[in-house]
Amino acid sequence: MKRISAALFVCAGLALPPWALAQSPSTMPPFLITPDKVETSIGTLTFKDGAPSVETASKVYDTLDFTRALNAYNNSFRGASAYALGKGFQSIGAEDNSIVIFPTLMDSSSLFLTANADTVYYLGVINLSKGPMVVEQPPMGLGTINDMWFSWIIDIGFPGPDRGEGGKYLIVPPGYDGPLPEGGFYVARSKTNRVLYAARAFLVNNDPKPAVDNIKKHLKVYPYTPGGVGTSIATALEGTVALRKNPPVPETKFVEASGKAFNTIPPGDFGFFEMINANVQQEPATSYDVELAGQLAAIGIVKGKPFAPDARMKKILTDAAAVGNATGRVLNWRPAESLAWSYYPGSAWASMLWQGGANFETPPPLFTKEGLFKPLPPTGARTLDSRTAFYYGYTLDSPGMIMRIPDVGSQYLMGFLDKDKNAFDGAKTYKTTLPKGIPARAFWSFTVYDNQTRSMLQTPQRFPRAGSQSYPSPAAEAAADGSTTIYFGPTQPAGVSRGNWIQTDPKKGWFTILRLYSPLESFFDKSWRPSEVERVQ
């Protein structure tokens, strides 16, 4: 019996990994030995009995700095993009607390990451550095408020607590411990001193003017008055806040931007890191997570300290920006199949948002027939690739942008490749067909974007889009069988109506997004599927 037990013990030991086995005092496990010369992807590394040479130390430090810079680029692109929006607004005279509005819609003159030409945008940077700010949201709008790292704060309009009826939103700055109202406001707290307010409104009978008039009539931005409306006399009797009268609401400054050429996109070279540093210096050190703060600090970007990289570090940062820029492009144009971003099996139509939802961690909740949400178990892991891909090509964050609710919000399918998985050539003509019953109760559209800027493609059309609305371009026409075919090409194909053709530039590549406003069940159950974009010979 003792022999059998010993044999079993030996056999069990053989199943253990080498590092788990007992070693005699005179032997050194081979896996602990660092050879004097090691060939790696960063070159030959040399050691003397485990001690690195000066040359090896230099290679490793260069690699560490490059790796941290690349991670900082991919993980903080959202911060640079948020900051760039504010700088773009300032370039056309829209200072903090004023509103940029596109009364005749946005066109290809303005450089915005994948904006649309379907809705009336109204946006602004709200400055909280002097205390809480009130935003009176107009009715019939939809949008969100994000901090300066594109972290979601609160939705507004239809996806928000006002549910499209309009209302007063009170945005509270970081560290504020003063009095707040008991009612009358939707209160939300920010981690940054400035926030991005971004909303849009739908056209009324294919006309933007009613929406613009409604926005200008109702939208107000002004400081909150502690002890004013929202504070009861009973609360004031407690001695914690003095009763005050609300001062007259100041007039909101609107800056009309339709047709204006200005940029809101961060640079893809060394200037990217300068822009991130500007955002870091402007905002509290606690406004972004400690891991990202560590990555930034490792490359010399620290709150309250000058960013002054030497020639060596500037070269590394420039290289990291180039690779980071390539990363954003690879993840959008050619995502790995293992990421499973294709919306249909084998399709080039895709969306990275279904992988981790708006928080890039857990897919969006299921939606039951009883009208209840069924959240999925948290994964506990950030979907880094989907976050990198999203912020490289798109802006702002909201749970409302990726949800499974029929007839609410909008859904997006991104198309970067044709049926044969080739990138689109602006000198060639392509087409896609939408079967009968396009699942969009409100309306649908395609928009074409420039590969380089990820903004609307600039062509003589000015509005590079096609869809069911008849403004700003004619509505697309359906065929006799109810299907609708859209063409993309440098010249209008013979026999194709203007509303079914989006012009491309023979010298430029492009990609497109299909938007479905108020999507229907056939989109979510995938019983409706657009054709792949294919080249017209």
Side-chain angles (χ1 to χ4, degrees), residues 305-505:
K305 295 183 178 181
F307 175 53
D310 57 19
R312 167 191 165 276
M313 195 63 191
K314 188 171 182 179
K315 181 180 179 181
I316 290 173
L317 293 173
T318 300
D319 188 27
V323 178
N325 177 66
T327 301
R329 292 180 177 279
V330 168
L331 289 172
N332 276 288
W333 269 264
R334 300 191 180 277
E337 289 187 11
S338 59
L339 293 171
W341 292 350
S342 292
Y343 193 66
Y344 308 97
S347 177
W349 293 115
S351 172
M352 72 290 289
L353 291 174
W354 294 101
Q355 182 187 18
N359 64 350
F360 304 100
E361 187 258 325
T362 299
L366 302 177
F367 190 68
T368 68
K369 293 181 178 180
E370 294 75 29
L372 297 174
F373 289 103
K374 184 179 180 181
L376 298 173
T379 65
R382 189 75 64 204
T383 55
L384 294 175
D385 287 340
S386 66
R387 186 176 69 178
T388 296
F390 179 79
Y391 286 122
Y392 185 78
Y394 316 89
T395 60
L396 297 157
D397 193 5
S398 163
M401 70 186 180
I402 183 69
M403 51 188 177
R404 307 175 195 267
I405 313 175
D407 210 33
V408 175
S410 51
Q411 288 296 330
Y412 312 88
L413 291 177
M414 293 75 159
F416 286 85
L417 302 174
D418 67 13
K419 182 179 180 180
D420 300 316
K421 302 300 189 289
N422 295 316
F424 297 119
D425 182 344
K428 299 172 182 176
T429 299
Y430 302 81
K431 70 175 182 178
T432 182
T433 297
L434 307 181
K436 182 180 179 181
I438 300 173
R441 181 185 59 79
F443 60 96
W444 61 268
S445 76
F446 283 100
T447 306
V448 165
Y449 299 97
D450 183 332
N451 281 354
Q452 293 287 2
T453 65
R454 292 93 75 202
S455 298
M456 282 188 267
L457 184 68
Q458 295 182 350
T459 69
Q461 274 188 348
R462 184 184 171 195
F463 297 99
R465 48 87 64 195
S468 56
Q469 291 188 155
S470 60
Y471 183 96
S473 53
E477 298 177 7
D481 64 358
S483 66
T484 303
T485 299
I486 301 298
Y487 291 81
F488 312 83
T491 57
Q492 185 172 349
V496 174
S497 68
R498 166 61 185 84
N500 294 63
W501 166 62
I502 305 175
Q503 187 173 21
T504 59
D505 183 337

Side-chain angles (χ1 to χ4, degrees), residues 129-425:
S129 61
K130 295 182 180 179
M133 294 289 291
V134 178
V135 177
E136 293 191 11
Q137 169 65 19
M140 304 303 292
L142 68 161
T144 191
I145 296 177
N146 281 192
D147 71 14
M148 294 305 292
W149 294 94
F150 279 155
S151 293
W152 177 75
I153 297 174
I154 192 170
D155 282 334
I156 53 178
F158 286 113
D162 72 270
R163 302 294 294 274
E165 298 293 328
K168 295 180 180 179
Y169 286 78
L170 180 62
I171 313 302
V172 182
Y176 178 81
D177 60 359
L180 292 173
E182 302 158 53
F185 297 83
Y186 303 111
V187 180
R189 291 183 177 270
S190 171
K191 291 183 179 180
T192 56
N193 293 322
R194 288 171 172 79
V195 300
L196 288 165
Y197 168 87
R200 53 203 168 110
F202 292 157
L203 279 59
V204 178
N205 296 323
N206 291 302
D207 183 1
K209 189 176 184 303
V212 173
D213 291 344
N214 176 58
I215 294 164
K216 289 187 173 182
K217 178 180 179 181
H218 292 101
L219 178 56
K220 308 292 181 186
V221 179
Y222 55 90
Y224 168 66
T225 301
V229 173
T231 300
S232 68
I233 294 177
T235 296
L237 291 174
E238 297 173 359
T240 58
V241 59
L243 289 176
R244 299 186 184 278
K245 289 186 177 181
N246 284 58
V249 175
E251 184 177 350
T252 301
K253 178 183 178 182
F254 288 92
V255 177
E256 296 191 353
S258 291
K260 288 187 177 181
F262 64 105
N263 177 50
T264 68
I265 304 172
D269 55 13
F270 172 76
F272 170 88
F273 293 102
E274 294 178 308
M275 183 167 283
I276 276 295
N277 178 64
N279 201 18
V280 166
Q281 302 307 326
Q282 176 178 270
E283 301 300 340
T286 54
S287 65
Y288 47 104
D289 64 79
V290 293
E291 289 296 328
L292 178 56
Q295 292 170 4
L296 294 172
I299 59 174
I301 297 177
V302 181
K303 172 75 172 180
K305 295 183 178 181
F307 175 53
D310 57 19
R312 167 191 165 276
M313 195 63 191
K314 188 171 182 179
K315 181 180 179 181
I316 290 173
L317 293 173
T318 300
D319 188 27
V323 178
N325 177 66
T327 301
R329 292 180 177 279
V330 168
L331 289 172
N332 276 288
W333 269 264
R334 300 191 180 277
E337 289 187 11
S338 59
L339 293 171
W341 292 350
S342 292
Y343 193 66
Y344 308 97
S347 177
W349 293 115
S351 172
M352 72 290 289
L353 291 174
W354 294 101
Q355 182 187 18
N359 64 350
F360 304 100
E361 187 258 325
T362 299
L366 302 177
F367 190 68
T368 68
K369 293 181 178 180
E370 294 75 29
L372 297 174
F373 289 103
K374 184 179 180 181
L376 298 173
T379 65
R382 189 75 64 204
T383 55
L384 294 175
D385 287 340
S386 66
R387 186 176 69 178
T388 296
F390 179 79
Y391 286 122
Y392 185 78
Y394 316 89
T395 60
L396 297 157
D397 193 5
S398 163
M401 70 186 180
I402 183 69
M403 51 188 177
R404 307 175 195 267
I405 313 175
D407 210 33
V408 175
S410 51
Q411 288 296 330
Y412 312 88
L413 291 177
M414 293 75 159
F416 286 85
L417 302 174
D418 67 13
K419 182 179 180 180
D420 300 316
K421 302 300 189 289
N422 295 316
F424 297 119
D425 182 344

Side-chain angles (χ1 to χ4, degrees), residues 45-70:
L45 305 182
T46 57
F47 305 85
K48 185 177 181 179
D49 194 26
S53 65
V54 172
E55 294 78 14
T56 290
S58 177
K59 290 177 182 178
V60 170
Y61 276 121
D62 284 351
T63 302
L64 282 174
D65 286 336
F66 173 81
T67 301
R68 287 161 176 165
L70 178 59

Side-chain angles (χ1 to χ4, degrees), residues 65-79:
D65 286 336
F66 173 81
T67 301
R68 287 161 176 165
L70 178 59
N71 285 334
Y73 184 99
N74 290 331
N75 294 334
S76 69
F77 197 94
R78 51 200 168 109

